[in-house]
Amino acid sequence: MWDAFLVGLVVFLCVGGHELIGFSLLFRPIVVGPFLGLLMGDLQTGLLIGAALETIFMGVINIGGASAAEPGLATALATGFAIKLGGGVDAAIALALPIGILGQQIKLAIYILFSGSMAPVFDRLAAEGKQKQFTYLHFGVWAIWFFAYSLIPFFAMLFGANAVQAALNMIPEVIMNGLSVAGNLLPAVGMAMLLRMLWENKIAVFFFLGFVLVAYIQLPLVAVAAVAFVIAILIAQRDYQLNKIEKAKPVVVQAADGMDQDEEDFFA
């Protein structure tokens, strides 16, 4: 019961808080995973799952009605199941993506049910100038919306943990190994989705430099980040110098007949 309450609470605070205070990115896996892991007494598992799922969902963006997945709910359930069941990190990561896709559709359905149905009331209060009632209704709808949404991970953890454990025990070892491999590949898919949006031929050489540093020289990520920081400073200094040179160039004033100002003064 307590674990289920913590999972529901984290979803309410992180996913709901993200919507309430202005898209603060509280719902990101890198926040939800460690936060829930800390509350459940296993920060390391929360960090592992949060970092892995962040790379998966990093390139997933929900814009308007075009929705893909809900990272917050997926991370909360994946972390909760992994900590409660023990040793299920790989399987939890592999199951996170379908959970996230289903969670996003449920979130939109609850939004339409509560927020959509109250739209005429908001319009009426705004037209009548009832600011306090409008504000109270706004926060009330938000609280009901995400309270209902947080009940999903609560009951999933409360009644689904034993079912998930039984299902995991029934899965053959070869399939579990496949889930482990799939879970390790999913972060690469997420990074590929992000790289596709960020790719630029002018800076492509730096991607290959990072690959060489990690794959062949085997530098740790902190060292790679330090190298990237130094490169960024050098590029910024070069651009600054070029900008100063560009501003220092003399301005050539063209005369009406095509001669510049010096030629015009010479022949005057």
Side-chain angles (χ1 to χ4, degrees):
M1 174 68 77
W2 179 246
D3 291 336
F5 171 77
L6 290 178
V7 173
L9 177 64
V10 168
V11 170
F12 181 82
L13 294 177
C14 292
V15 181
H18 163 75
E19 299 279 351
L20 178 65
I21 63 178
F23 296 96
S24 60
L25 301 182
L26 287 174
F27 76 114
R28 299 304 306 179
I30 199 63
V31 177
V32 176
F35 184 30
L36 181 57
L38 179 63
L39 294 179
M40 295 183 68
D42 193 348
L43 180 60
Q44 182 177 1
T45 300
L47 285 169
L48 289 174
I49 295 181
L53 293 183
E54 183 65 36
T55 58
I56 297 173
F57 291 107
M58 191 180 296
V60 176
I61 301 175
N62 299 318
I63 302 176
S67 58
E70 173 52 60
L73 178 65
T75 305
L77 285 177
T79 305
F81 283 139
I83 294 176
K84 187 170 184 178
L85 301 181
V89 176
D90 295 331
I93 292 176
L95 293 174
L97 189 58
I99 292 175
I101 295 174
L102 178 61
Q104 179 66 18
Q105 304 311 314
I106 296 175
K107 180 182 176 183
L108 288 177
I110 298 176
Y111 173 79
I112 294 172
L113 177 63
F114 291 103
S115 299
S117 61
M118 297 301 295
V121 181
F122 280 108
D123 292 337
R124 178 175 57 81
L125 293 176
E128 296 175 357
K130 297 180 179 179
Q131 183 176 355
K132 289 185 178 180
Q133 290 86 338
F134 187 96
T135 303
Y136 293 151
L137 183 61
H138 167 73
F139 287 105
V141 169
W142 169 84
I144 295 174
W145 175 19
F146 284 101
F147 175 76
Y149 187 63
S150 62
L151 291 178
I152 299 171
F154 172 79
F155 286 113
M157 282 294 299
L158 187 62
F159 299 111
N162 294 332
V164 172
Q165 180 67 74
L168 292 177
N169 293 335
M170 294 173 58
I171 297 177
E173 184 178 357
V174 61
I175 297 180
M176 287 299 299
N177 292 335
L179 288 175
S180 177
V181 173
N184 292 330
L185 286 175
L186 284 176
V189 175
M191 292 300 296
M193 294 172 60
L194 181 65
L195 184 60
R196 185 177 180 182
M197 295 185 293
L198 298 177
W199 184 264
E200 173 61 44
N201 291 333
K202 294 180 180 179
I203 59 174
V205 62
F206 296 112
F207 290 106
F208 295 108
L209 175 61
F211 176 79
V212 171
L213 293 177
V214 174
Y216 294 97
I217 305 180
Q218 297 182 350
L219 290 180
L221 292 180
V222 175
V224 175
V227 172
F229 182 71
V230 172
I231 293 175
I233 292 178
L234 292 175
I235 293 177
Q237 289 179 339
R238 184 202 63 179
D239 291 344
Y240 177 73
Q241 294 296 330
L242 291 176
N243 189 38
K244 288 180 61 178
I245 294 174
E246 187 68 23
K247 291 182 178 180
K249 287 183 178 180
V251 178
V252 178
V253 179
Q254 294 290 335
D257 57 357
M259 295 187 298
D260 59 32
Q261 189 65 43
D262 293 338
E263 293 175 343
E264 186 177 11
D265 294 340
F266 178 78
F267 290 108

